[in-house]
Amino acid sequence: MFIPRPRSVLAFFLSFGSFLVSAQSCSFTLKGTVIDEHDRTPLPFAEVFLLEVAKGAVADEQGRYTVAGLCAGPYTMRITHLGCEPVVRQVDVRSDLELDVRLEHHAHELQEFEVARNRPDENVGQASDAIDKEAIERAAGLTLGEMLATFPGVTVLASGPTIAKPVIHGLSGSRILVLNQGIRQEDQQWGSEHAPSLDPLTSERITVVKGAAAVQYGSDALGGVVITEPVELPRDTGMQGEVRAQGVLNGRGGGGHGMLQGGVKGLKGSGWRVQGSGRYLGDSRSSRYVLSNTGVRELGASAALGYRDHRWIATAYYSYFARELGILRTSHIGNLTDLNAAIASSEPWYVSDPTYGIASPRQEVQHHMAKAEVGYAVSDRGRVQVTYGYQADDRQEYDIRRGGRSNIPALDLFLITHTGEAVWKHWLGQRLHGKAGVNGLHQENFNRPGTGVSPLIPNYRKQSAGVFVLEHLPLSEQWELEFGARWESTLLHVAKYDLSGILINPEHTFRNHAFSMGANWALNDSLRIRFNINSAYRPPHVSELYSEGLHHGAAAIETGDEHLGSEGSWKAVLELEGSSGEGRSTFQVTTYADRIHDFIYLLPVGQQLTVRGAFPVFQYTATNAWLLGLDARFGQRIARDWVWELRASTVRARDIEKDEWLFQMPSDRLENMVLFEFPSQGRWSAMEAGLTSTLVFQQRRIPAGVDFASPPATYHLVGCQVSAARTSGRRQWRVGLRGANLFNTAYRDYLDRFRYYADARGIDLTIWVSCTFGAPRTE
């Protein structure tokens, strides 16, 4: 029987404090008029938005806007108007404030407003979170999945210390769509140990949409969307840049990142950017032993070039990302007896001295992405935008093989993907505005010969096409609505050999549709309700239909089912967000219910001995499921310089057909953070230090008699973070320290597929430093 530690109990009772804070209204108002900079005429229907509180207004026919219910404090205003350059302005609200804004207006330019999270016409009613440039900087050295795990409702599906994939509201893998620079990431994401092949440092903002978003983004957005947002290219001449570096204790390695950007002299409206990054780590350690063969090598580079004038927008982008990583050596076992012994043991059967070398089993991945985008303003109330994307994903997975063949890949896949999209962004009348478009995908997967083993998944060709419409309607200052629909068809052509060695070519056709409706209701100055109900779909991946053999990266044998059909989902999300005490207390509570029919998952069905060792066996199967959950965040400024935040999440998932719990769902989590903000001292600013506490409860809601081992016990981790900034001329330096598992706790996580064999990572410390330099020059 688990008895919580005293500090865990204290954290639990402190979580109720935010419920007891008495509500007080934030009653300040920001208002004014948006006008043309040249002739001082009003600009009707301009959008004014405050990024920190996700709150804004649409100006009336006379350009007048009003944003009510503001708490005292600094805000970042973003003002946009169709045909104008957007303006970002800092304001400090201490009382009612009137502020007129002048925009550079062009009669025929519709400024692009894609991707930014905090806009009234994006994901109305959807629960979402985002991390900005500073938070990405503080998370230096973490993977994309680990960065996002700080959000309530987002956890990580891991395969040892080297691989992490985001889990949103209990769903992961092919149900989570990753948008990389506006292009859907296609990199064999079906594998539980296939982490996204992208560099998160190429973005200054990463957004998580925690809900089905199939209408806007198509299939694979059934569970949620991760958006690494493009950074706007500079338009002024003059060199600007940034350098970052970090050192990591656990793994005795580190990494770096560099960026240069500027405008093109003599060609107004043009800009460029180049970036590069790398990461190099040796074997990780748990609290008690070395996690052998868990080194990581990463290398990334990107380049972008763009042009924009009153009517045209054009962008070209290319990125390269390479990763080599080791697979935990102790997860590969020679016989069934040793496999059972390894699962039953608290110590791994294989431990060696720490090294930077990476041996088999291991993975090598190279991912290329190219994007071309052109936008044209057909009028001051409409723009057409066309985007093309090309991706090539080259993956090799190496196993421990006899006869000196360990350097021959056991899995050698090459995936080519072409995507295209044409979107019309428009205003219809005074209020109704949105987008409509068509998009398509052509994808081919090849198994390179010479591996000496049967392919885990077959060769295939996938083609899909869809059409969608998404409209936004502000009814008043209190109400805004969003509604949309999508239809999509997918064709899958497969080439494989049957059990008799005869080449067969099965084909599958999937036709699906999706609907969504969202509402945003401001009850009063400090309380807002968001509601969204939508349907979503996901055709089965070829891996779920035709997997057949050892998936060495997962250290498991996986078997598909060619009779599986498309998953379908109806999900409702209700979010309550507000503040009290003039902004000193904040809260956000999200509840959701997700009904999924033909829910596909990997079910443990036994063990099997092969010529390459003994492995657990998993079968892809489908059922009907209910997922219910709650995410919560509460914040309290307990003193002038002290901030406390509580984050909690829980999910309950049931197999309706079998009337039992679903396998491999996230455990309940409770996280606390206490942050002290130091006052500025001379050139030093943004100084802060914090402690974090993460309590993850044992997952007791599991199907009976299915798993190979009992779920790991409840564990509690303590972390820390310290950071500061210093300005020196045209340079700004930022330094920081991040600590994880400071008490070196031995633990295993339920969503780590290698929990059967070894503990998770022990204590870790990361030191990071960054420097931004240069400033734009106006020609």
Side-chain angles (χ1 to χ4, degrees), residues 448-762:
R448 289 195 179 97
T451 62
V453 296
S454 298
L456 174 63
I457 64 171
N459 294 344
Y460 69 87
R461 182 172 68 251
K462 177 182 176 182
Q463 298 165 313
S464 67
V467 57
F468 71 94
V469 60
L470 188 67
E471 299 294 338
H472 171 71
L473 179 63
L475 299 177
S476 65
E477 293 183 2
Q478 287 74 38
W479 278 97
E480 21 182 2
L481 300 176
E482 182 184 80
F483 46 90
R486 181 185 186 89
W487 180 88
E488 184 171 291
S489 177
T490 301
L491 301 177
L492 183 64
H493 308 265
V494 178
K496 68 182 296 288
Y497 291 94
D498 64 12
L499 296 177
S500 302
I502 300 174
L503 180 65
I504 59 175
N505 299 100
E507 295 187 358
H508 300 263
T509 301
F510 306 98
R511 293 186 176 90
N512 295 286
H513 57 266
F515 305 95
S516 74
M517 183 182 71
N520 194 335
W521 178 26
L523 281 77
N524 54 46
D525 295 340
S526 57
L527 189 62
R528 181 182 297 270
I529 293 177
R530 297 184 180 93
F531 176 74
N532 182 275
I533 184 169
N534 52 55
S535 65
Y537 58 88
R538 185 183 71 89
H541 191 272
V542 69
S543 64
E544 296 164 327
L545 297 170
Y546 294 107
S547 282
E548 190 175 17
L550 174 63
H551 191 177
H552 97 97
I557 294 171
E558 297 175 357
T559 306
D561 182 353
E562 62 183 290
H563 303 294
L564 295 173
S566 292
E567 290 181 335
S569 166
W570 279 97
K571 184 172 184 177
V573 180
L574 179 65
E575 183 175 84
L576 180 66
E577 181 181 27
S579 62
S580 62
E582 297 183 348
R584 291 191 299 272
S585 301
T586 61
F587 64 90
Q588 184 182 56
V589 180
T590 304
T591 61
Y592 58 91
D594 195 359
R595 173 65 162 83
I596 305 177
H597 66 79
D598 294 328
F599 176 79
I600 302 171
Y601 67 104
L602 275 172
L603 179 71
V605 293
Q607 301 169 351
Q608 183 175 330
L609 180 63
T610 73
V611 295
R612 286 187 279 171
F615 300 94
V617 180
F618 292 81
Q619 168 73 52
Y620 282 104
T621 188
T623 188
N624 295 325
W626 265 110
L627 282 77
L628 308 174
L630 182 144
D631 310 331
R633 176 190 283 116
F634 302 94
Q636 176 69 48
R637 183 167 289 278
I638 52 183
R640 187 186 66 177
D641 301 319
W642 289 90
V643 177
W644 167 65
E645 185 174 274
L646 167 75
R647 299 184 292 265
S649 61
T650 182
V651 60
R652 300 291 183 266
R654 295 287 294 182
D655 183 327
I656 299 173
E657 293 185 357
K658 297 181 180 179
D659 192 25
E660 64 181 12
W661 299 109
L662 275 180
F663 178 65
Q664 211 169 37
M665 285 290 146
S667 306
D668 294 345
R669 302 173 66 90
L670 186 67
E671 301 176 60
N672 280 272
M673 180 188 71
V674 177
L675 186 69
F676 180 76
E677 299 170 342
F678 296 89
S680 298
Q681 298 287 339
R683 293 184 178 181
W684 287 96
S685 62
M687 297 182 292
E688 59 184 35
L691 285 174
T692 60
S693 164
T694 303
L695 181 64
V696 180
F697 294 90
Q698 184 180 28
Q699 178 59 283
R700 301 181 183 274
R701 292 163 293 278
I702 59 173
V706 169
D707 207 351
F708 301 114
S710 299
T714 298
Y715 64 88
H716 178 228
L717 305 179
V718 175
C720 70
Q721 63 180 52
V722 180
S723 62
R726 179 181 174 85
T727 301
S728 177
R730 295 169 61 186
R731 296 183 179 90
Q732 184 183 55
W733 293 87
R734 289 178 56 84
V735 295
L737 169 70
R738 185 183 69 253
N741 194 3
L742 294 181
F743 294 153
N744 208 23
T745 301
Y747 74 99
R748 302 188 184 194
D749 189 86
Y750 179 68
L751 288 186
D752 187 345
R753 291 195 65 177
F754 288 172
R755 63 180 169 87
Y756 303 117
Y757 313 110
D759 293 346
R761 285 162 61 96

Side-chain angles (χ1 to χ4, degrees), residues 248-275:
V248 180
L249 173 66
N250 198 330
R252 299 177 184 269
H257 169 82
M259 181 272 290
L260 289 174
Q261 64 178 11
V264 179
K265 187 175 182 180
L267 188 57
K268 186 178 180 181
S270 298
W272 59 271
R273 177 182 297 111
V274 293
Q275 292 177 307

Side-chain angles (χ1 to χ4, degrees), residues 80-150:
T80 58
H81 184 264
L82 302 176
C84 296
E85 298 289 344
V87 169
V88 177
R89 179 172 296 180
Q90 304 296 323
V91 295
D92 192 10
V93 176
R94 299 297 174 187
S95 61
D96 290 342
L97 181 63
E98 186 166 350
L99 179 65
D100 293 340
V101 181
R102 299 177 182 179
L103 295 184
E104 178 77 21
H105 184 258
H106 307 291
H108 300 291
E109 181 178 5
L110 173 64
Q111 176 62 38
E112 182 181 15
F113 54 86
E114 183 60 51
V115 175
R117 168 198 177 229
N118 288 317
R119 300 285 180 85
D121 60 349
E122 294 287 344
N123 303 312
V124 170
Q126 287 275 30
S128 60
D129 279 302
I131 52 178
D132 57 15
K133 179 181 179 180
E134 286 73 24
I136 294 173
E137 199 170 62
R138 289 193 295 268
L142 297 180
T143 65
L144 176 65
E146 291 168 331
M147 286 184 184
L148 304 180
T150 58

